Structure formats: structure tokens, C-alpha cells
Amino acid sequence: MDSKTKIAVFVSGGGTNLQALIDAEKAGKITSGEIVLVVSDKEDAYALERAKNNGIKTAVITKKKGEQEDFENRLLAVLAENGIQMIILAGFMCILSAAFTSKWPKRIINIHPSLIPSFCGKGCYGLHVHEKALAYGVKVTGATVHFVNEIPDGGEIIFQKAVEIEDGDTPEILQRRVMEQAEWILLPRAAEKVAKEIAEKGDNYGHL
Ligand code: GRF
């Protein structure tokens, strides 16, 4: 392997999944990739503090109402400036267009807090996912890491892990259990897998 895959993590909120990635890299569980940039569309995302506390460069790129192409061009510019080769969406609340995702085939991964194809797609994010799972009455939910293409939550699945629903669960309790038992384990594992594949191929989609 020549060198580590340069990773950007896109965030919008608290960043517990970002923290899991940082911890995994520190613990030597991610060795094929290196998180070199954290990008947030929200200035006040706590995830930015997590990045700064760990000496990782940050960029804030806000999205104006109705804007897409200019927003994505600003994202592409910051990725190119930093030589990024792989993107991890870790609680990033903006949908990326086909114009963007087609430039990064099998180079963007996302974590979704359900077993896709259940409880996913446009509008199904955050606590809503767990509310829907509880309302439906499923007994098992979980998390999915998948490649990102032009269809929200529609790209090829990389890993999934099931989590049991328990009597008395609220959306908040279930959200926490899915994070602890699935998301924080699966996302670093998928990051290593994909970073390794990119490093071994040695190609350079990050500079399109
Ligand atoms: C997670 O539940 C993740 O699955 C979803 O957004 C949430 C982000 O949480 N895509 P955090 O910011 O990583 O704490």
C-alpha cells in the first residue's frame, strides 16, 4: 500500500459517529485511512469541537435556502484543496445531488440508523427513523453503512447490524442503543474496509 486514504467526514450535529471514527483511528482500528478534514454545514455543530480537540482541520460550508450547485461546488473545492479521496457522511443533514455523487463513485459512505430498506429514504432521518420503527412495531432494527449514490439511502450496502427493540423503548432510548450496539462499531469498520480498497487501487477520484 502506498499511503493512507485521505478522508473527509461530513457532519451537521453532535458528532458521536465522528468520535467513534477518531477513537478507532487512535486505537489502530483504522490504519488504511486518515481523517484529515471535518466539514460541517452548521457553524455550531458540536462535531466541530470534537475535530478541533483532536487536531483535525475543519471547514464550515453553509447551504443557503434553495441552493445546491453552488453549495456542492464549494464542497468540491475544499475537498480538492485538501486532496481528499474518500468522504464519510456521519450525521450530515444535506442531500447530495447526482452531479456530486457521480464524481465520487464508491468513495462516499453513509451510516443510517435502521436496517435498509426499512425506515429510510427522503425525510427519514434522526429520531424520525426510530419513531417509525416503534410505530410499526418491528422487534428488530439496527444500522446500515452503505455507499452513497443519487438515491437517498439507496446505494450498495456495505455492512448491517441488527439491534433488538425492548419493551418500553422510546425513540430516544432506541436511538442510543442503535448507536452503541451498531453505529459506532459498523462505521469505523466500514471506513477501514473502503479506505483499504481505495489505497490498494491507488486511484485518485479525489482530484476530479
Ligand atoms: C446518527 O444516528 C446517524 O446514523 C445519522 O445521524 C445521526 C448522527 O449522530 N445518520 P451523530 O452526529 O454522529 O452523533
Side-chain angles (χ1 to χ4, degrees):
M1 196 195 303
D2 292 353
S3 59
K4 294 190 181 203
T5 297
K6 288 189 173 177
I7 301 171
V9 183
F10 285 15
V11 297
S12 300
T16 63
N17 280 286
L18 169 66
Q19 191 67 54
L21 291 164
I22 293 170
D23 293 347
E25 193 182 325
K26 282 191 176 159
K29 292 180 185 163
I30 297 176
T31 56
S32 304
E34 184 187 2
I35 302 166
V36 297
L37 181 68
V38 170
V39 180
S40 174
D41 66 313
K42 300 270 184 298
E43 271 171 42
D44 59 353
Y46 184 68
L48 290 169
E49 299 303 316
R50 296 182 190 269
K52 286 173 195 160
N53 292 341
N54 288 279
I56 301 169
K57 190 173 170 183
T58 60
V60 176
I61 301 190
T62 54
K63 183 172 186 266
K64 296 183 196 106
K65 214 169 174 228
E67 186 188 51
Q68 190 70 31
E69 195 181 339
D70 288 351
F71 171 64
E72 291 183 350
N73 284 339
R74 292 198 297 279
L75 289 175
L76 290 171
V78 81
L79 297 173
E81 269 165 34
N82 289 278
I84 299 302
Q85 297 166 296
M86 171 181 169
I87 301 167
I88 301 177
L89 307 184
F92 186 59
M93 300 302 280
C94 303
I95 289 179
L96 296 167
S97 75
F100 186 100
T101 59
S102 63
K103 292 191 170 73
W104 295 81
K106 292 205 171 184
R107 298 295 183 279
I108 312 174
I109 67 172
N110 179 49
I111 178 93
H112 182 77
S114 76
L115 294 175
I116 289 175
S118 290
F119 315 118
C120 65
K122 208 161 184 275
C124 203
Y125 59 87
L127 218 47
H128 298 312
V129 181
H130 305 292
E131 284 164 1
K132 287 186 182 186
L134 290 175
Y136 198 98
V138 293
K139 301 301 173 203
V140 173
T141 185
T144 303
V145 183
H146 61 93
F147 284 115
V148 174
N149 63 10
E150 68 286 359
I151 304 158
D153 298 324
E156 186 188 326
I157 289 171
I158 303 168
F159 290 133
Q160 289 189 302
K161 191 166 189 291
V163 174
E164 301 236 336
I165 289 176
E166 295 176 12
D167 289 347
D169 271 355
T170 62
E172 290 80 5
I173 291 171
L174 183 57
Q175 180 180 51
R176 182 75 193 181
R177 186 178 316 116
V178 169
M179 283 178 159
E180 286 175 355
Q181 294 186 7
E183 295 186 45
W184 301 338
I185 300 164
L186 283 197
L187 190 59
R189 206 179 276 168
E192 172 58 19
K193 182 178 193 286
V194 176
K196 189 163 190 270
E197 285 163 6
I198 294 172
E200 283 172 357
K201 277 185 200 150
D203 54 8
N204 221 346
Y205 278 86
H207 297 284
L208 281 172

